[in-house]
């Protein structure tokens, strides 16, 4: 991976007590002064909640749907600042949004998933942020493109924003699932690996698309050592003007937060003196055996390739491949291995074997 042009500074804004998550909560959209204030007052009682969120400009899939109240709603958020201890956050998608949000003294900004996909829009937001010191959270793009996510973080960072964070909100997927957006947790995990200083929080509401599934996703995010959560909360979700199905009522958020199991990310586990350390040493040793076995397997694949070349046989022998796959899946079942895991591994092995044998075919004699 090339060097990243991100100036990373600690997110001083992550005021959380101990291991508790940093929580941003509030309605998908600011709809009315009453709705905003009623929600904010309820959230003000929950110590984990640090920031009140509300969408003011809404990126809707189709026109002629509710596209947000716009600038007048910023006044309601100012009231939240006055009446509660909560900071307030809005989504910005262009320079005009940034200017209005800053003029109205918003505390935190976020870039939405449909903006992160477009470098022109992200650059427009970044240019409007030059010289401003405000925390900015960048949601993942709707497509699972880690480079696009990193690129957006870089653009905002280059504008001089130092309090930068990332929000994992899942990805559009063709595959049918109970969730509105596929979590693809490994994309967020890879972002954490590449940019360990950037806090990553999870938005289980937009992953779930269903209020009943938010809790399990929030717990999963905690188990993946994410720094916090962004959760959509509405006093009367059924009547919400956007994302009605996925919003939860304040008392449900309170229960969700109270029920979260927060585990330690680190601690022991790196020496032979403790159980986790010993288990990790065992798994390291098995990994080396696996890699050596794999190297031997690929040597045989090359020998088979040479045989096929000498005997003028095609690389792909579809009947043999089907037999191998069925046989290994059966074996996997017998020894208690997950079939999906084994199938994924064999699909990869087979496509790599074809690549190796093509190389062999093309070798000069
Ligand atoms: C939102 O937070 O309401 C929103 C529009 O989310 P996303 O950008 O994740 O779709
Ligand atoms: Mn929403």
């Amino acid at each position: 991976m090339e060097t990243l042009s991100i100036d990373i500074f600690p997110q001083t804004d992550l005021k959380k007590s101990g291991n508790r998550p940093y929580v941003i909560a509030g309605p998908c959209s600011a709809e009315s002064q009453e709705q905003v204030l009623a929600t904010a007052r309820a959230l003000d009682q929950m110590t984990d909640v640090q920031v009140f969120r509300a969408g003011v400009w809404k990126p809707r899939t189709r026109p002629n749907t509710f596209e947000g109240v716009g600038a007048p709603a910023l006044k309601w958020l100012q009231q939240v600042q006055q009446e509660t201890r909560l900071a307030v956050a809005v989504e910005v998608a262009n320079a005009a949004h940034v200017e209005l949000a800053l003029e109205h003294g918003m505390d935190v900004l976020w870039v939405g998933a449909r903006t992160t996909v477009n470098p022109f829009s992200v650059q427009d937001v970044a240019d409007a942020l030059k010289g401003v010191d405000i925390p900015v959270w960048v949601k993942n793009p709707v497509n699972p493109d880690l480079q696009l996510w990193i690129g957006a973080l870089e653009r905002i960072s280059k504008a001089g924003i130092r309090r930068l964070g990332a929000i994992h909100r899942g990805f559009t997927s063709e595959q049918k699932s109970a969730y509105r957006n596929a979590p693809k947790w490994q994309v967020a995990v890879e972002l954490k690996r590449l940019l360990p200083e950037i806090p990553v929080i999870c938005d289980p509401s937009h992953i779930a698309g269903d209020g009943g599934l938010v809790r399990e996703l929030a717990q999963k995010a905690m188990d993946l050592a994410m720094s916090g959560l962004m959760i959509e909360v509405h006093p009367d979700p059924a009547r919400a003007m956007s994302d009605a199905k996925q919003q939860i009522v304040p008392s449900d958020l309170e229960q969700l937060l109270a029920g979260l199991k927060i585990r330690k990310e680190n601690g022991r586990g790196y020496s032979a003196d403790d159980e986790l350390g010993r288990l990790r040493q065992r798994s390291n040793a098995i990994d080396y055996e696996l890699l050596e076995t794999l190297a031997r397997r690929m040597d045989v694949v090359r020998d088979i390739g040479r045989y096929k070349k000498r005997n003028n046989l095609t690389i792909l022998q579809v009947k043999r491949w089907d037999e191998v796959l069925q046989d290994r899946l059966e074996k996997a079942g017998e020894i208690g291995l997950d079939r999906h895991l084994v199938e994924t591994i064999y699909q990869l092995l087979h496509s790599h074997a074809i690549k190796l044998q093509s190389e062999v075919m093309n070798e000069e004699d």
Side-chain angles (χ1 to χ4, degrees):
M1 162 124 254
E2 70 287 5
T3 41
L4 300 164
S5 49
I6 291 193
D7 293 322
I8 298 145
F9 290 83
Q11 259 274 16
T12 47
D13 232 52
L14 287 191
K15 291 188 228 86
K16 31 177 206 155
S17 48
N19 280 329
R20 296 299 304 170
Y22 175 83
V23 179
I24 302 175
C28 178
S29 301
E31 299 169 1
S32 69
Q33 186 185 33
E34 300 70 51
Q35 172 245 15
V36 165
L37 287 168
T39 316
R41 286 187 192 118
L43 296 172
D44 196 23
Q45 308 305 311
M46 302 173 206
T47 50
D48 286 335
V49 180
Q50 304 295 336
V51 181
F52 179 78
R53 64 147 281 157
V56 166
W57 301 282
K58 299 304 299 177
R60 303 306 299 278
T61 303
R62 303 287 302 273
N64 305 323
T65 47
F66 173 68
E67 292 189 318
V69 171
L74 297 170
K75 297 248 179 340
W76 308 334
L77 293 172
Q78 288 176 326
Q79 267 179 291
V80 173
Q81 286 172 317
Q82 283 152 17
E83 289 189 26
T84 70
R85 65 178 173 82
L86 301 170
V88 294
V90 290
E91 173 178 346
V92 289
N94 59 38
H97 295 163
V98 173
E99 276 148 30
L100 281 164
L102 295 174
E103 262 169 39
H104 287 81
M106 298 296 106
D107 301 297
V108 174
L109 305 177
W110 85 85
V111 174
R114 293 155 209 252
T115 304
T116 308
V117 284
N118 184 344
F120 287 134
S121 300
V122 176
Q123 194 57 53
D124 191 35
V125 167
D127 290 342
L129 284 168
K130 280 219 172 78
V132 180
D133 177 23
I134 190 169
V136 179
W137 293 87
V138 179
K139 287 197 172 193
N140 65 253
V142 286
N143 54 327
D145 183 342
L146 180 57
Q147 291 299 315
L148 210 44
W149 198 0
I150 290 176
L153 288 161
E154 284 178 312
R155 286 177 199 277
I156 306 287
S157 171
K158 277 171 178 279
I161 293 295
R162 293 164 178 209
R163 288 179 287 165
L164 197 55
I167 305 177
H168 166 237
R169 51 76 80 200
F171 303 91
T172 304
S173 168
E174 290 280 285
Q175 263 164 22
K176 256 187 110 59
S177 127
Y179 300 136
R180 175 181 177 191
N181 286 295
K184 297 192 186 290
W185 299 98
Q186 69 282 8
V187 180
V189 169
E190 183 63 0
L191 184 77
K192 274 163 69 71
R193 188 178 76 79
L194 293 172
L195 299 175
E197 293 87 350
I198 297 226
V200 181
I201 67 173
C202 178
D203 170 348
S205 305
H206 285 89
I207 296 177
D210 177 334
L213 301 172
V214 172
R215 179 197 286 262
E216 66 188 48
L217 290 163
Q219 181 60 53
K220 173 98 188 213
M222 295 298 97
D223 292 338
L224 294 178
M226 297 218 189
S227 304
L229 299 165
M230 177 185 257
I231 298 187
E232 286 190 339
V233 178
H234 192 288
D236 187 359
R239 290 171 192 270
M241 297 169 84
S242 58
D243 287 351
K245 261 185 79 192
Q246 73 197 30
Q247 303 203 58
I248 60 176
V249 293
S251 59
D252 281 347
L253 177 68
E254 195 164 20
Q255 272 186 23
L256 182 158
L257 293 171
L260 281 180
K261 289 198 185 65
I262 307 294
R263 304 176 168 101
K264 284 182 290 189
E265 177 169 8
N266 242 321
R268 293 153 68 81
Y270 285 93
S271 84
D273 304 338
D274 61 80
E275 191 182 349
L276 182 56
R278 280 194 298 279
L279 288 168
R280 283 179 168 164
Q281 283 185 356
R282 257 176 64 198
S283 90
N284 290 347
I286 294 171
D287 280 353
Y288 283 125
E289 282 171 27
L290 267 176
L291 291 175
E292 278 159 20
T293 305
L294 208 52
R296 286 210 314 279
R297 173 74 165 80
M298 291 307 157
D299 285 344
V300 176
V301 163
R302 279 192 208 86
D303 286 344
I304 294 175
R306 288 185 192 106
Y307 179 91
K308 287 176 180 166
K309 186 178 183 184
R310 280 197 307 278
N311 293 281
N312 223 14
L313 297 172
T314 55
I315 294 176
L316 178 65
Q317 312 258 317
V318 78
K319 196 160 164 288
R320 158 76 184 160
W321 162 229
D322 184 52
E323 280 164 13
V324 168
L325 186 62
Q326 296 313 326
D327 175 79
R328 305 311 185 260
L329 288 174
E330 199 177 306
K331 175 74 182 170
E334 279 165 31
I335 60 178
L337 271 174
D338 183 83
R339 277 175 67 93
H340 178 66
L341 171 73
V342 172
E343 165 135 25
T344 308
I345 291 173
Y346 269 87
Q347 292 287 0
L348 273 175
L349 275 180
H350 186 247
S351 70
H352 189 68
I354 287 177
K355 180 167 165 280
L356 286 181
Q357 294 191 351
S358 309
E359 282 167 18
V360 167
M361 292 281 176
N362 292 326
E363 274 168 10
E364 302 277 326
D365 292 307

